[in-house]
Amino acid sequence: MRRAIPLLFFILISASVLAQSSQPNIVMIVVDDMRYDEWGGGGHPYLQTPNIDLLGEEGTQFNRAYHAVPLCSPNRASILTGQYPSRHGIIDNTARNQASFMLDLFPKYLQEAGYKTAHVGKWHMGNSPEPRPGYDYWVCMEGQGRTYNPVLFEDNTSYVAEGYITDVFTDKAIGFIQENADAPFFLYIGHKAIHPEAVQRDDGSTDLDVPKEFIPANRHKGLYLGKTYQRSPSYSPTASVEEGKPVIENAFRLRSEALEKDPRWAGSMDLGIAEKTIQTRAEMMLAVDESLGRIMAELQKLGIDENTVIIFTSDNGYFFGEHGFSLERRMPYEESVRAPLLIRHPGIRSPVKAVDGLALSVDLAATALDIAGVNTVGTVQGKSLMPLLSGENDTIRSSGLIEYYSNENPFPWTAQLDYRVVVTDQFKYIKWLRFDRAELYDLKKDPYELQNLIEDPAYKEILGDLQGQLRVLQLEALALE
């Protein structure tokens, strides 16, 4: 009996270690301002992203993923809390530093479950670069940071890190992986790419004296010079508005007035989006693709790639002149609200290759917790995407909510454009909150959102159903139902 106790103890310890080692590592990569189609496998006509493509081939591509809000700060908060802006309170890009320290971030629940957790890169829920709760390792930049030789905050110290910011973040991420290869870890990488160089003040406004340049790594500059992007049928170089969009038409009148009053806007707006802009964004994406490739190679080298889940997405989209927009990447149209979303889970033997069921950015927190075997906390409003990955279900929701608050007013012409959106497998309903106006689109018949059906009597019943769904979804987002 004396020998049985140590043996039993050894068995229990071994079982515990085995259980811990079976917890998959999770790497979550969030690219800044990346459109849903801004990668090779996503349909970009000349951008080559072999590593992102490989991730899509080995994992699952979500064809109908949406941002809960198409704006940097609030959507990053939605990704990391699993909550809608209505609930977590980060509703715009103003520097809500104090509020962001109080967010109920899902990494802390992974940390409590034995995970080593890291934040590497852009935070931008408040400009403060200081560590938020829930992370064992933290390296960040203040606000938008800068593309070359960024000032980083690490180990409670600020310093200048030499090099291109995407490469710097990748080095930091790989260092964390190497140090924690024997323990389950969660690694969040917030790229600055493919955001232009910019200075955003605490009140959310931007410094117009700082040119909004897209800056690729020196090794990639000019690689796509002369390439042409195939424009969408909704492309409007003169910012003319499709019929049935009076709210946007009014906004563009205000935009014209702003351009006349302050010529600095002209240099920032890039109306119509020049081919050079699309080319340099594509060149910036090359470093992001290389970053993913380096991380995947390191996971394989360490022998942990088969126990590491990779989630790849962005915080909002971007317009290439569709509907007359450029920098206003917060509007309710597909180029802005649709998200790239790829998930590779090696633990699923036969993952679904392409998912058409609706997914939202609020679902990523629930998904990460589910992957780790951690019970979803009550504050998480999203749903796990695991049933879609495994093929257990084709859909986890019949409709999704997208919401936007215009409080920060970075552009004078978007100051009143608060909206709520309901999207289903076929329709999109847009309700402008400060105007007695709405828009309705049949995304299957009209994927470019050219024809507003809001006044069409043939869609009266569908409209009524979507309005009812909006009321329910908004109450749920507010945690009132």
Side-chain angles (χ1 to χ4, degrees), residues 145-158:
R146 62 190 186 210
T147 306
Y148 265 99
N149 301 330
V151 177
L152 299 185
F153 189 90
E154 182 180 15
D155 295 330
N156 293 315
T157 303
S158 293

Side-chain angles (χ1 to χ4, degrees), residues 148 164 166-167 215-225 279-280 282-291:
Y148 265 99
Y164 189 65
T166 306
D167 301 336
I215 305 176
N218 288 332
R219 63 186 180 275
H220 297 141
K221 286 183 178 178
L223 288 182
Y224 291 132
L225 186 65
Q279 293 160 11
T280 51
E283 290 163 4
M284 287 184 77
M285 275 299 298
L286 294 177
V288 173
D289 186 71
E290 288 177 356
S291 172

Side-chain angles (χ1 to χ4, degrees), residues 218-237:
N218 288 332
R219 63 186 180 275
H220 297 141
K221 286 183 178 178
L223 288 182
Y224 291 132
L225 186 65
K227 294 290 186 179
T228 302
Y229 186 87
Q230 181 63 46
R231 304 293 182 145
S232 163
S234 64
Y235 175 64
S236 175

